[in-house]
Amino acid sequence: MRASAFTAEMIRTTARGLAGLSVARAYERSDALVERYGSDGFETWKQALKSRLETLGAALSAGDPKMFADDLLWFRGISTSRGIPSEDLLLVLDCMQETLVDQLPGETGPAVKPYFEAAHRALSNAPAISHGLAAGSAAAELFDLAMVGDLGGARRFLFEELQEGRMTLEECIVDALLPAAREAGRRWHMGEMGVAVEHVVTANLRSALHSLAGALPPSAPNGKAAFVAAVPGDAHDTGLVAFALLLEHDGWRVALAGADTPADEIDATAASYDCDVIAISATLPSQRATLSSYLRARDASIPVLVGGAAVRDAADAKTMGADAFATTLADGVRVARELVGLQI
C-alpha cells in the first residue's frame, strides 16, 4: 500500500480520536478559544473536525488536494455565518495538521502537506462566498413555495413550467429543483432553518419532482433497465429520484432503491430486477471509502456507473473499480446509454 493510501486509511479509521486531540491542542494554545466556545464548543469543534478529517482521508485516497480545500471553503462559509472568526478556523486547521504529524507514522507529514497547503491557499484567495438564489429565478420561486409549506403550489409550479413548455424536464431539475434543494441544505447548515422546516421544504420539493412525471408523455421503452441507489450512509436521495426520472424519460425501466442502500445487497438485487446498469451515488467525499469497498467486492457482471463528490473524475472511477463516471445527471443518462450500447 502506497504511503498516501496508508495515511488515508489511518486518518479515516481514527478520525474521531484525532479530532479530539486537535481541538485539545487548539484549546491549550488559545485562551480566547476556550472563552469563546467552552466545553460545549469543544464537542462541536470535535465533530466538525472529524468530518474534515474524513474528507481529508477521501482526498488522499483520490490524490486530490482540491477535494479537501473545497471542503474547508464550505466549512468556512458555515463557520462565518455562525460568527466564528477566520483566525479560529486557521488555528484549528494548523493544530489538526500538527496532530496528524505527531500521532501518525513518519510519512504522514509529507503526505498531508500538499493538502493543507491547498486548503490555506483556498482560504486566503477565495472571493466572498455568494449565498442564496437569484431573485425571480425559477429556483427561487419554487423554493419560496416549498418554504411556506405550499405542497400543492410547488407541485403545480414545476408541472406547469414543464407542461406549458417554459422549461424542459432537464431544466426543471437542474435549474430549479436541485438549486432549491441545495438552498434548503445551505440554510440548515447556516443555522437559518430548523430541522423540521428543512424536512418540510425537502419533502415538498421531492413531491414536486414526482409531479413532473405526470406532465410528460409516455416514453417509448428502450429495452434497458437501471438500478439506482446511494451507498450506505448516504441519506441524500433527491438527486437520485431526479436521475431516475431522467432515465425513465429516456425509455429506461428503473428500479429505484434510493438512499442508504446496503452494499452487500446491491448486485443481487439489481440482478433480480434484470437490470443492465447499476448507477451508484456517493454524495460526499467522506463516503469514498464506502464506495471503494463496494466496488472492490462487487460482482462485475453488471456494469456500474458512479457519480458524486466522492469520485474525482472518470480515471479515478476506473481506478476504484467502476465502469464509468458521470459529472451531471444528464451526462449520466448519456453514459448509461453508452454502457449498454444504445445509440447516443
Side-chain angles (χ1 to χ4, degrees):
M1 182 182 292
R2 58 192 175 89
S4 58
F6 175 76
T7 302
E9 181 65 13
M10 288 289 293
I11 291 172
R12 187 182 68 82
T13 56
T14 60
R16 184 172 182 81
L18 291 170
L21 291 171
S22 300
V23 180
R25 185 186 293 258
Y27 267 46
E28 289 173 3
R29 189 167 297 175
S30 171
D31 291 337
L33 214 64
V34 178
E35 292 173 5
R36 266 196 287 273
Y37 308 111
S39 57
D40 290 342
F42 185 100
E43 290 302 318
T44 302
W45 274 110
K46 180 178 175 181
Q47 184 58 42
L49 290 200
K50 176 179 177 290
S51 297
R52 309 288 75 74
L53 285 162
E54 289 170 346
T55 301
L56 174 60
L60 279 160
S61 295
D64 185 8
K66 186 176 182 297
M67 184 184 289
F68 181 55
D70 287 347
D71 182 67
L72 263 296
L73 279 176
W74 173 85
F75 182 60
R76 185 190 67 175
I78 302 300
S79 302
T80 301
S81 74
R82 296 181 178 178
I84 295 175
S86 295
E87 56 266 27
D88 289 357
L89 174 58
L90 293 173
L91 170 62
V92 171
L93 184 62
D94 288 340
C95 289
M96 185 165 71
Q97 183 176 6
E98 293 169 12
T99 299
L100 290 174
V101 173
D102 286 350
Q103 296 295 319
L104 298 183
E107 65 269 19
T108 298
V112 303
K113 184 178 179 181
Y115 294 79
F116 282 91
E117 288 176 344
H120 277 288
R121 283 195 302 272
L123 291 171
S124 60
N125 297 332
I129 299 172
S130 175
H131 295 312
L133 301 168
S137 66
E141 290 187 48
L142 178 61
F143 179 83
D144 288 345
L145 289 167
M147 182 69 179
V148 299
D150 188 352
L151 176 59
R155 285 175 175 167
R156 285 191 298 274
F157 175 78
L158 273 191
F159 184 93
E160 291 171 1
E161 290 295 298
L162 179 60
Q163 191 174 55
E164 296 178 14
R166 290 189 291 269
M167 301 180 79
T168 65
L169 175 62
E170 184 179 340
E171 288 169 342
C172 283
I173 291 171
V174 174
D175 297 336
L177 189 129
L178 293 182
R182 286 192 292 269
E183 176 66 6
R186 183 192 73 80
R187 292 196 187 191
W188 175 75
H189 280 294
M190 295 292 190
E192 300 172 7
M193 175 187 291
V195 174
V197 174
E198 188 275 335
H199 283 189
V200 169
V201 174
T202 301
N204 284 353
L205 291 174
R206 190 182 295 111
S207 180
L209 174 61
H210 285 296
S211 76
L212 289 175
L216 295 168
S219 299
N222 64 25
K224 301 297 181 180
F227 182 84
V228 179
V231 296
D234 188 346
H236 300 81
D237 67 350
T238 302
L240 286 177
V241 176
F243 182 54
L245 183 57
L246 287 173
L247 285 172
E248 184 182 359
H249 185 54
D250 191 53
W252 293 72
R253 175 172 59 82
V254 180
L256 176 61
D260 195 19
T261 305
D264 59 353
E265 298 180 23
I266 290 174
D267 292 347
T269 306
S272 73
Y273 285 107
D274 197 23
C275 290
D276 302 282
V277 168
I278 296 172
I280 298 292
S281 173
T283 305
L284 303 176
S286 58
Q287 291 155 358
R288 181 181 176 88
T290 303
L291 177 62
S292 294
S293 178
Y294 159 69
L295 291 172
R296 286 195 303 269
R298 75 181 179 95
D299 175 359
S301 61
I302 303 176
V304 173
L305 164 64
V306 297
V311 186
R312 186 176 69 247
D313 52 29
D316 186 37
K318 292 275 189 178
T319 300
M320 293 174 71
D323 295 283
F325 170 73
T327 55
T328 65
L329 298 183
D331 184 48
V333 176
R334 179 189 62 78
V335 174
R337 291 182 69 89
E338 288 181 347
L339 282 174
V340 298
L342 290 174
Q343 185 176 357
I344 304 301

